[in-house]
Amino acid sequence: METVLYADVLFLINFSMDYLSLFAAARLLALPTKTKRMLAGAALGGIYGVLATAMAWQGILGALTAFLASCAMGWIAFGRCGGRGGFFRAVFSVWGIGALLGGFMTVFSGLFQGSVPYSAGADFPVAIAAAILFVRLLCRRGGRGYAEVSFSYGENGYTGRALIDSGNLLRDPISALPVVLIRASDARAFAGGEVDGKFAGIMPDGIGLSPGVRAVPMRGADGTRILYGFLCREVHIRRGKTSVCRSAVICVDRAAGDGYGGCGVLLPASLL
């Protein structure tokens, strides 16, 4: 018994679902959506789908090739995503969304196949609706999620991904503005050696604060410490299709280590 494989149809189905999964993951994680890169990533996924079916890759080999293909798709579509943690978060998000859409389409097809007039062309619009609903539900949970943040410091600028945290209630004692935290490695991109100087509490004259530096006390499990930063009149925040401009105090958090859930910035939910 021979099995006929329509490679063109299989490629188009996999390409469409992979593109939708990449797009939904980008919206969920506030990653830049570059159409050409996502099309290239989805095309790679479509080619892999045809090869995996034709070569009957299963078991350990199938799982390994699927993982490598997903990593390659994520790299092409999103790049490094700010580091190893952000990259694998994007890859597993694409996997999860793809599995959700595949399962939803299977259930939808099973409900109508053989009972009412049914067209396979209805699968894709239903999958799009499921992806939109899934992303919106996740993005609305408790004020958490991701956003893209950009601001200027002197002649330098910064743009990066931020983790939205409704638990960040820090306020500047002088202006009462919300405080945005940024890890030291990201701050060096625009402040250079000042991160290890005035933004570490080391004053050039040994007495008092440097002009323009704000000191914000922060209480934690290990006691109270002082964070140093600066007032930024224009912090541009983009989340999905929504963009806002807010004023805030940006403080360098030298204890952040690898960052906040793979992001370089911790953004108070009150700024949205």
Side-chain angles (χ1 to χ4, degrees):
M1 180 177 180
E2 294 183 356
T3 300
V4 179
L5 176 64
Y6 294 95
D8 53 347
V9 176
L10 183 60
F11 172 81
L12 288 175
I13 293 174
N14 281 281
F15 171 81
S16 301
M17 296 303 297
D18 288 337
Y19 182 83
L20 181 58
S21 298
L22 290 169
F23 184 82
R27 288 297 187 186
L28 178 63
L29 301 178
L31 295 171
T33 53
K34 297 181 179 180
T35 303
K36 290 182 179 180
R37 296 189 63 167
M38 290 202 301
L39 286 174
L44 176 62
I47 294 173
Y48 165 77
V50 174
L51 290 176
T53 303
M55 304 297 292
W57 290 334
Q58 297 178 355
I60 297 178
L61 177 62
L64 179 60
T65 55
F67 176 73
L68 293 177
S70 298
C71 289
M73 287 171 55
W75 183 272
I76 293 173
F78 306 128
R80 295 183 59 191
C81 300
R84 183 182 303 173
F87 173 73
F88 284 112
R89 185 177 295 106
V91 170
F92 288 124
S93 294
V94 173
W95 259 17
I97 292 173
L100 172 74
L101 296 181
F104 192 91
M105 288 179 64
T106 300
V107 173
F108 182 79
S109 300
L111 288 175
F112 293 97
Q113 190 74 29
S115 57
V116 296
Y118 170 80
S119 171
D123 276 346
F124 194 61
V126 171
I128 294 176
I132 293 174
L133 178 62
F134 175 71
V135 172
R136 286 186 175 180
L137 286 176
L138 288 185
C139 289
R140 290 180 180 178
R141 52 176 185 175
R144 296 187 64 87
Y146 300 89
E148 183 181 276
V149 174
S150 60
F151 56 83
S152 297
Y153 178 74
E155 297 181 354
N156 300 322
Y158 172 83
T159 299
R161 292 181 64 238
L163 174 66
I164 302 170
D165 183 15
S166 57
N168 181 2
L169 304 178
L170 288 176
R171 293 276 176 172
D172 174 37
I174 298 176
S175 63
L177 288 172
V179 175
V180 177
L181 302 182
I182 183 169
R183 62 183 173 188
S185 58
D186 281 50
R188 290 190 180 93
F190 60 85
E194 293 181 351
V195 172
D196 301 310
K198 64 182 183 180
F199 291 140
I202 302 174
M203 309 309 165
D205 299 328
I207 301 176
L209 290 175
S210 298
V213 175
R214 298 294 177 94
V216 179
M218 177 180 180
R219 294 181 179 178
D222 54 350
T224 301
R225 56 193 177 98
I226 303 297
L227 301 178
Y228 300 91
F230 61 96
L231 174 63
C232 186
R233 295 292 182 184
E234 295 184 357
V235 179
H236 299 276
I237 305 168
R238 182 179 66 83
R239 187 184 187 192
K241 296 182 179 180
T242 303
S243 298
V244 296
C245 182
R246 299 283 190 260
S247 296
V249 170
I250 299 176
C251 286
V252 178
D253 185 4
R254 300 174 61 81
D258 293 334
Y260 316 94
C263 300
V265 177
L266 188 67
L267 185 71
S270 59
L271 288 176
L272 297 174

